[in-house]
Amino acid sequence: MMERRRMGAALLVLFLGNLANALEVPLDLPQPPTITHQSPKDYIIDPRENIIIHCEAKGKPHPSFSWTRNGTHFDIDHEPKVTMRPHSGTLVVDISAEKAESYEGVYQCTARNEHGTAVSNNIVIRQSRSPLWSKERNEPIVVQEGVSLVLQCRPPAGLPPPIIFWMDNNFQRLPQSSRVSQALNGDLYFSNILKEDSRNDYICYARFPHTQTIQQKQPITVRVLNLDAINETMAAFYNDTDLFSEAPKDERKPTFLIPSGPSSSKMVLRGQVLELECIAEGLPTPEISWSKVSGDFPAKRTSFLHYQKTLHIVNVSESDAGEYRCTARNWLGSVHHTIRVTVKASPYWIGGPPRNLVLAPRETGVLTCRANGTPKPTITWTMNGIPIENSPKDPSRKVEDDTVIFTEVQSGSSAVYQCNVSNEYGYLLSNAFVNVLSEPPRVLTPSDRVYQVIRNNRALMDCSSFGSPIPKITWFKDTTLNGDPYIQHDNGTLEIHVAQAHNSGKYTCVARNSLGTYENHVYLEVKEPTRILKQPEYKVVRRGRSVVFECKVKHDPSLIPTMTWLKDNGELPDDERFIVDSDSLTITDVIENDEGVYTCIMNTSLDHDSASAELTVVERPDPPTDLELTDQRERSVQLTWTPGDEHNSPIQKFLIQYEDSLHHRGHWHNLTEVRGTKTTAHLKLSPYVHYTFRVLASNAVGFSQPSFPSRMFKTNPAAPDENPTGVDGYGTEHDNLVISWKPMSGLQSNGPGLQYKVMWRQKEVDKEWTSVTVANVSKFVVSGTPTFVPYELKVQALNTYGVGPEPAIAHGHSGEDLPVAAPDNVQVLVLNSTLAEVHWEPVPPKSVRGRLKGYKVYYWRERSLHKHNPHHMEKQILTFSGNHSHGMLPGLHPFSIYSLNVRVYNGKGEGPPSPSQQFETPEGVPSVPSFLRITNPNLDSLTLEWGHPHDRNGRLAGYTLRYQSVNSSNELGPVKELALPANATAVTLPNLKYSTRYKFYLSAKTDRGAGPAISEEAVTIMDEGNTQPSHPIARSPPLNPHHKVRPATPAFGNVSSSWAEDGALISWEYWGPERNVYVEYVVKNSEGEDEEEWQKEYVNGSQNLMLKGLKEGLSYRVRVVAKGHSDQTLHHSEELVVMVPAMASRQVDIATQGWFIGLMCAIALLILILLIICFIQRNKGGKYPVKEKEDAHTDPEFQPMKDDDCTFGEYR
């Protein structure tokens, strides 16, 4: 039962020990020593420098140091060349007058204070060595071609071993391949040797890394001979040369040079590098391949070096043990070798070395020393450097193999424990102290630390603490932070896996144990991420132009961004052509070297973003070169060329041009084009030309410069291959025929002495051809021909070497003459008032005397049938094609008399006119009245005046007037219609509504109907008596009786002002549907002063307003505005300036007027009566409100009274 309790306590102690591991004891608290730095176990020193053996430790109080050498105390005081650094255990050995090898040995450092003792590893000091190469004489090596060969290096043994490489006399590395390679031991292997391997400077070099010295072996000479050469030189080399080949070497299957035999074995330590090597000889050169018999290679740790001859596996583990097979193969056969690999292991930690343990009195804890190795290592414990079995007994301590258990420790039990784990391949030594303390909690993280993190990233806030017993950490932000999204780690750190903006703020971590509480505050700021909004784009730019890469970025405003541009992942060239702005990179005068990938990187202190784009520089292609003429024939030649540089834009086509130095020297002509993938063209040529060719290349940018011309190629003359084209025959006079053609070029002539044989005959009349031969002309005139008869024509080319092919027959006519006949039987059919149809009989064809083109109808308006419209118009002409015998005459004027005649015409001109015909057009509808205006507006009437139509188009029968009202919503009322006589030009409409808008439509009519209407809008004037406000106010001045009513378009007019004692009376006229009318006013300031805001007064339907409360002696700007439903200003009047006098003065002393005295008496009597009535009612207990209103108009000279002067309050 007691043993079970101890096991349970051990598990609890193990858990508590893990928690304690995270604690770091502050240096101001008592603690045993801790080794913080020491030299490596195997310490190879440079004999040219002082020896420094490091040993640093911390503790409270600060520890003292001592050393042992080869297991015995090393008395520094008796070593004059050895000093120990102050406050340190580090030894410095001055070897300026000593040999370093005298200080070789095994050293161990001890650091102790009153709470314990820590010891270092055993530090083995060895001096590096780079011994000289033994002197030797290398005899030349003569071998037969095809055999294998090994050149041995065998460097002297050094400490550490040297690095081997082969070079020549010029310090150039010797080339290696699958045939020639260096083995791991440094020897140089030839699978088969070739003639070109002969040389006298095969030199093996050894570099000793610690002393940075290089030594070389004597050069080796290799001579490679074939069998005949060996026989010839046998005598010369027999006495002083080794001959390595007894018989000719033919092709053979592979055999291994190393390793030997069918199998071998290799041992490697865990964590080191496994190198397996197979080198084979054979002819042809064998290829090496690898496989693992019992599994696969670890892909991420495996590589094949030295042309597959070396298998390289890093960080070896136990799983890499097994059989590996290398195979050498050529076409003659293959050979295999199996290498059995075993993996051993020097001791290694499982879960890390033991960790310091901090316990409070009466707490429990565990020190664990878990390690493994192959073979299994042994574990020993020491306390303060003394074997634990020889240490003072402690009932609270129990050792169980790799674990030391502490139960209910007491103060003063602090000590340093050493765990030593060893096997035949090495050892591990670790110090871990047990420190018994009673300490209240403290937070080691600095207070008020600010943590910054990018949104959507992980946020970590530290709360590193110390205390004994171990403090418990609690985090707060307004409330205790538990659960998602918060994660609290064992070391006190608070994690937010995906931080958001609302996570920003103040956080508090609280550390508690049984001895107290400690509180610390930190702050978290969540920043917006840096993002590239507009990335640079792929650019194709022509050389010499400019290019701009844009890189627009969004970042947190509190972070300072830095923009960096890279080219091909390196810095931008130091060139003033590269201009970096805040959000762009500009490259001016681009050159081909500017091509590459450009990357913009936006960095802040917390994050970055980047984007890349490629720049391609293009240019016109370089001109083709190397023009060559081949396959030369009588009428063709083959042209070949070499394309120039495309400059990143593929060549799309080649243009071949030629110069004819015989006919057009200095002029280049296009001959043909070929695809950009071709570099040859078969050219068809013409006779009698001296050709010189050139080629131009074209890509997406444009054409290249022309190539250099080819050599000249001359073709022999020949008879013409073709005849002139464009042969035509026509007449310029009624008795001639002009034969014309397109002259042939020198290239078409095929030879010297070009002439033209011109032939003609009258069609269907002549059988024989009449001909003439001419030169250097392109037409010939035949005289004395009949008028307009058909001819057949031919033109044939000829030169000194013969005539051209038989020409094709062309057709033409001799010259035309004017027609001699007029169309007969001309008749007119009137279809309506504006359209008539005319008919005629065609003239006989012979009378046309030429090619019939058509007929022309001449017509004109003689006069109008209405006495008020006398008219005469110019002649009009309508043209009809020759196959027509009738046509329409549109656009005629109604009620008019017209005349017309018809004529035929040909290419020469018009024939005589037909006899003139007259016709009348019937009546039509009149045009719109010439004007419509509205005058004399009254409350209930309007007068309309108009003008007669300009075109009556018949006898005017009268007018039709239609009108309708329009309300404020622009809705139309019912239509009223009024018929008016033809002689009327005005009408007055009574019984209209006051202040109403009307729309009028007036049209004239004839017996054929009514014409188009003219429209107008107007508003009747407002009834002032019905629209006055409830209080008396002076009327506006009467409207001018001759004033025209304005159109319905909203507007203000006649804005005026007058001054009275109570204020300024503003009057105006307004036409418009809007009823939201205001008077706005503002004090007029002098120049340079700021304007005040406009004040406004609402107008309730009237066209005047009294502005009260204006300040004396100031000027005001006043305007009237109409506003819509959304309070936007739709219209406003012109501004009016109102001057307020410094003191108002009366023109008449009203107190002396009799009517005023009488009025005052009447008012006093009325007030007296009202008081009596109120008194009587009050005595009766009643309650009556008394209020008087005056609705009648007051005299214009009387100033209006205030509302409160005309209203009595309520009496009780």
Side-chain angles (χ1 to χ4, degrees), residues 149-153 164-167 174-176 179-183 185-191 202-204 257 279:
L149 177 65
V150 180
L151 300 183
Q152 296 180 344
C153 181
I164 306 301
F165 49 94
W166 289 80
M167 301 177 74
L174 294 176
Q176 298 190 25
R179 185 179 63 87
V180 182
S181 61
Q182 177 182 316
N185 65 358
D187 294 345
L188 190 63
Y189 282 77
F190 295 80
S191 296
Y202 286 94
I203 306 174
C204 181
L257 297 175
I279 300 178

Side-chain angles (χ1 to χ4, degrees), residues 340-414:
R340 185 174 297 103
V341 175
T342 57
V343 179
K344 302 293 184 179
S346 62
Y348 57 91
W349 297 115
I350 300 176
R355 300 181 182 178
N356 296 331
L357 189 61
V358 178
L359 299 174
R362 306 191 64 78
E363 278 192 328
T364 58
V366 174
L367 283 180
T368 303
C369 181
R370 293 218 171 111
N372 201 357
T374 305
K376 185 175 179 62
T378 59
I379 298 176
T380 59
W381 288 93
T382 59
M383 186 186 81
N384 296 329
I386 301 173
I388 199 166
E389 58 270 16
N390 298 333
S391 300
K393 301 297 181 182
D394 186 349
S396 66
R397 181 183 67 222
K398 180 179 181 182
V399 179
E400 294 184 356
D401 194 18
D402 62 355
T403 304
V404 180
I405 302 173
F406 300 92
T407 306
E408 295 186 353
V409 297
Q410 303 297 320
S411 299
S413 299
S414 298

Side-chain angles (χ1 to χ4, degrees), residues 869-890:
N869 294 101
H871 237 60
H872 179 75
M873 295 182 64
E874 296 294 331
K875 289 184 179 180
Q876 294 177 276
I877 304 173
L878 285 178
T879 302
F880 301 93
S881 62
N883 60 353
H884 280 69
S885 61
H886 66 278
M888 295 294 184
L889 304 181

